[in-house]
């Protein structure tokens, strides 16, 4: 962990001691998910139908998160902040930094996201909660993605996500089911640009996750994310993870996962650990 | 390695989905939840703690200022007893009738749920019984919020 990340972490932890009595949103614990790698409320890899934090129809909420994925030949760092307005609209900003540990160099992009709750509630509505989101992504430096066949240095993903909690579903535990349909042109989430020599139109991909609240504070599950494959230089595969999230209170969550990102830029079988810390007001 | 991990996940996943689909209707006849809540005495203790939690909750206590608390207490006991499969009949008004015109917010409803969860925890109610009762109460949200 570089010094800056370590300092960030300890600042968070120090801040927490003063947070227990601070303003907390009026939604039930853990109903905002955590921060996924593009900054939206979700799991680790997949945006969910829920909105960040625990704010309800009576207020605003702010979340901040720092995440790291260390896989075989790459290291991804993500920092994100998000605002939730009355549990109706989520605005998020995330910065991704991918270190190409084996190939050398780095790829970076900014992601501005918005997600609107269309209808429902993850706990109370028979159909769960459905939201429509966008993630606008822009790469810092297009030279490497261009060299491997990408068409554009920016792109916008549009997704529809639904989340529903089933009470008392498995061994008396509550089960959280998420389904996401995304329209995208992004290669490896956008870090390898948008569009490609094999395909330059939008593709519809399916993503999903299933988690069990082992206790109200511990959620364990897995995620799946389908991806386009539109660059001839290297195959792109789906992403998967198995995660455990610990949510001790409304201000803090810690997520650990084992992720499998498949083949990335010709380097196969990219697996490794993922850690994410989120604070919320 | 990868395929092994995912192969290992498939069985529990399928099991989870089967449990999920097979479950729904088995507790109408059983009183397992009622027993787990501690029957009449246990439910009475939970309801009492719930009312104390509400009284101490500045977010919603004002909403109960004009309520007939002893009637509310009786109705909650009947309702929880009946919903959990106990030998009771709920004699109160429907949720829609009893909350009409109050225009409760979602935040207020959530605060009530939180107070109930805290009452469960204070009475060491098994998680499965908590979840089962919460699952019965959750759909009432539509009849209570913004009416």
């Amino acid at each position: 962990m570089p010094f800056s990340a370590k300092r960030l972490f300890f600042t968070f932890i120090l801040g927490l001691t003063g947070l227990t009595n601070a303003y907390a949103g009026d939604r039930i614990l853990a109903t905002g998910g955590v921060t996924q790698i593009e900054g939206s409320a979700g799991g680790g890899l997949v945006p969910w139908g829920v909105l960040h934090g625990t704010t309800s129809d009576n207020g605003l909420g702010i979340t901040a998160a720092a995440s790291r994925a260390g896989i075989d030949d790459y290291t991804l760092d993500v920092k994100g902040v998000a605002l939730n307005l009355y549990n109706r609209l989520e605005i998020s900003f995330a910065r991704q930094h991918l270190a190409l540990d084996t190939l050398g160099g780095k790829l970076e992009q900014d992601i501005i996201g918005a997600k609107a709750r269309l209808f429902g509630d993850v706990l109370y509505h028979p159909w769960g909660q459905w939201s429509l989101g966008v993630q606008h992504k822009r790469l810092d430096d297009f030279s490497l993605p261009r060299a491997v066949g990408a068409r554009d240095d920016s792109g916008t993903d549009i997704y529809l996500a639904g989340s529903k909690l089933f009470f008392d579903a498995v061994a008396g535990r509550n089960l959280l089911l998420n389904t996401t349909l995304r329209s995208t042109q992004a290669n490896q989430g956008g870090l390898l640009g948008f569009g490609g020599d094999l395909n330059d139109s939008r593709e519809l991909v399916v993503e999903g996750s299933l988690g069990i609240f082992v206790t109200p504070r511990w959620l364990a599950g897995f995620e799946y994310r389908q991806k386009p494959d539109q660059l001839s230089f290297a195959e792109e595969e789906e992403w998967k993870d198995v995660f455990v999230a610990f949510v001790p209170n409304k201000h803090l969550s810690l997520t650990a996962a084992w992720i499998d990102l498949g083949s990335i830029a010709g380097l196969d079988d990219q697996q490794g650990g993922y850690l994410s810390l989120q604070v919320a007001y | 390695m990868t395929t092994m991990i995912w192969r290992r996940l498939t069985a529990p996943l399928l099991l989870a989905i089967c449990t999920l689909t097979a479950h729904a209707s088995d507790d109408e006849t059983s009183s397992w939840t009622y027993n787990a809540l501690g029957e009449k005495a246990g439910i009475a203790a939970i309801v009492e703690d719930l009312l104390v939690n509400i009284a101490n909750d500045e977010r919603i206590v004002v909403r109960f200022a004009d309520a007939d608390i002893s009637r509310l207490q009786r109705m909650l006991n009947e309702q929880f007893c009946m919903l959990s499969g106990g030998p009771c009949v709920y004699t109160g008004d429907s949720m829609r009738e009893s909350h009409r015109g109050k225009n409760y917010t979602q935040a207020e409803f959530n605060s009530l749920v939180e107070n109930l969860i805290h009452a469960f925890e204070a009475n060491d109610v098994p998680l499965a019984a908590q979840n089962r009762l919460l699952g019965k109460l959750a759909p009432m949200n539509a009849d209570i919020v913004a009416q």
Side-chain angles (χ1 to χ4, degrees), chain A residues 26-28 56-58 123-124 167-169 172-174 210 214-216 222 240-242 250 258 260 269 271, chain B residues 2 5-6 9 13 16 19-20 23 59 105-107 109-110 113-114 121 127-128 131-132 134-135 138 141:
Chain A
D26 290 330
R27 248 154 70 225
I28 306 302
S56 188
D57 54 0
N58 61 340
L123 301 183
Y124 310 127
F167 288 95
D168 179 32
R173 282 1 188 217
N174 300 337
L210 194 61
V214 181
T215 80
F222 70 92
K240 302 171 228 172
D241 74 69
V242 193
K250 288 186 177 180
W258 181 261
D260 175 355
D269 201 20
Q271 298 189 32
Chain B
T2 322
I5 290 179
W6 300 115
L9 276 172
L13 173 64
T19 318
L20 181 69
H23 186 73
R59 299 174 298 179
T105 65
Q106 187 63 60
F109 183 87
N110 295 339
V113 175
E114 261 177 19
E121 288 172 350
L127 190 54
N131 292 339
R132 200 169 285 196
L134 287 173
N141 179 71

Side-chain angles (χ1 to χ4, degrees), chain B residues 32-85:
Chain B
W32 180 86
T33 314
Y34 177 67
N35 294 330
L37 291 172
E39 302 186 343
K40 274 217 165 93
I43 290 172
I46 293 164
V47 170
E48 185 159 349
D49 280 351
L50 168 61
L51 293 172
V52 169
N53 292 346
I54 291 170
N56 291 324
D57 188 341
E58 61 188 18
R59 299 174 298 179
I60 54 171
V61 63
V62 62
R63 290 299 220 154
F64 293 82
D66 299 327
D68 178 348
I69 298 297
S70 64
R71 177 180 147 80
L72 177 63
Q73 185 165 17
R74 211 164 57 242
M75 291 303 111
L76 286 170
N77 270 284
E78 283 182 10
Q79 191 181 44
F80 289 2
C81 173
M82 189 180 77
L83 289 174
S84 64

Side-chain angles (χ1 to χ4, degrees), chain A residues 164-218:
Chain A
K164 162 92 178 145
L165 186 92
F166 295 90
F167 288 95
D168 179 32
V170 182
R173 282 1 188 217
N174 300 337
L175 186 142
L176 181 66
L177 181 66
N178 302 279
T179 315
T180 301
L181 199 61
R182 182 195 300 251
S183 163
T184 182
Q185 285 188 285
N187 306 312
Q188 299 294 359
L191 286 163
L192 280 180
F194 303 83
D197 52 342
L198 297 180
N199 176 43
D200 195 27
S201 56
R202 285 189 167 274
E203 274 194 50
L204 215 51
V205 289
V206 175
E207 306 169 15
S209 72
L210 194 61
I212 289 177
F213 278 96
V214 181
T215 80
R217 288 170 181 78
W218 287 89

Side-chain angles (χ1 to χ4, degrees), chain A residues 145-168:
Chain A
R146 181 194 282 126
V148 299
R151 300 293 176 87
D152 217 326
D153 69 341
S154 72
T156 304
D157 290 359
I158 304 167
Y159 63 90
L160 178 71
S163 296
K164 162 92 178 145
L165 186 92
F166 295 90
F167 288 95
D168 179 32

